[in-house]
Amino acid sequence: AQSVAQPEDQVNVAEGNPLTVKCTYSVSGNPYLFWYVQYPNRGLQFLLKYITGDNLVKGSYGFEAEFNKSQTSFHLKKPSALVSDSALYFCAVRLPRGITGGGNKLTFGTGTQLKVEL
Amino acid sequence: DGGITQSPKYLFRKEGQNVTLSCEQNLNHDAMYWYRQDPGQGLRLIYYSQIVNDFQKGDIAEGYSVSREKKESFPLTVTSAQKNPTAFYLCASSDRVAVGETQYFGPGTRLLVL
């Protein structure tokens, strides 16, 4: 079984400061990892993904995430937060097709509410 | 302008009534998905379809039904057997041959019970 944990329900950060939203996963094998953002009453927007290769992945809107296999983590980061980054962030994990338990199933964390204040 | 559309944005259901949520995509994706979102619980998979005329149950399929008669359409019916249907419903699609198979989401439908 695969699972994702987002240990913080809410993260508060001042505008201009760096932000980190934490994600850890539990899966057998080499996972695909994703970050999505959701604004109120909207669908999820894809930010970035880790498939293989470089552990530092760059995505949309200046976000990046670092894959750490030994710590089974995939934390989302941004060097300088904006008020407009305030939203709900979801981490998700999936196993590649052809791997036992792999395929379509994307397992989501419970989400972290990011609040960026002036 | 490619994307995924869901309608209606808000839907009200009366006791004992079946309601159908629409999902259409023009991304030429083979795979489509339905998720339910409840506060504090993340997203849970209801049904998914990898090709036309085929679909599989997800983690919480009871009280729901789907069809996949066309590649671009994957409607979800919330039946009267679903006793707690109030939630935000999200449709997604993905390209099965793309690396990583990123799922892209529609804007959602909020279902409320009268």
Side-chain angles (χ1 to χ4, degrees), chain A residues 36 38 94 97 104-105, chain B residues 33 37 59 99-101 103:
Chain A
Y36 288 86
Q38 185 180 34
R94 186 170 69 77
R97 288 185 185 274
N104 290 85
K105 185 172 175 60
Chain B
Y33 314 81
Q37 184 178 15
D59 298 321
V99 175
E101 257 190 85
Q103 291 185 20

Side-chain angles (χ1 to χ4, degrees), chain B residues 19-44:
Chain B
V19 292
T20 298
L21 285 62
S22 170
C23 177
E24 304 275 333
Q25 55 97 1
N26 61 4
L27 301 169
N28 200 35
H29 287 171
D30 286 309
M32 297 186 74
Y33 314 81
W34 274 105
Y35 291 90
R36 170 179 171 141
Q37 184 178 15
D38 296 279
Q41 293 194 45
L43 276 70
R44 293 181 290 169

Side-chain angles (χ1 to χ4, degrees), chain A residues 11-110:
Chain A
V11 170
N12 297 323
V13 64
E15 188 175 53
N17 283 1
L19 70 86
T20 299
V21 182
K22 295 179 181 178
C23 171
T24 58
Y25 65 90
S26 175
V27 69
S28 300
N30 297 316
Y32 293 163
L33 293 156
F34 302 81
W35 275 103
Y36 288 86
V37 60
Q38 185 180 34
Y39 295 95
N41 294 311
R42 299 289 186 90
L44 274 65
Q45 292 179 32
F46 168 70
L47 280 178
L48 52 79
K49 66 184 176 188
Y50 172 81
I51 304 300
T52 187
D54 194 346
N55 290 340
L56 185 64
V57 179
K58 294 188 182 296
S60 306
Y61 313 118
F63 284 94
E64 58 189 28
E66 186 167 10
F67 172 65
N68 188 319
K69 188 171 184 178
S70 63
Q71 297 186 5
T72 61
S73 67
F74 189 56
H75 301 331
L76 182 70
K77 301 182 179 185
K78 188 175 182 181
S80 179
L82 299 171
V83 171
S84 57
D85 293 329
S86 299
L88 185 60
Y89 290 81
F90 287 99
C91 181
V93 65
R94 186 170 69 77
L95 284 172
R97 288 185 185 274
I99 304 298
T100 301
N104 290 85
K105 185 172 175 60
L106 192 60
T107 299
F108 287 85
T110 52

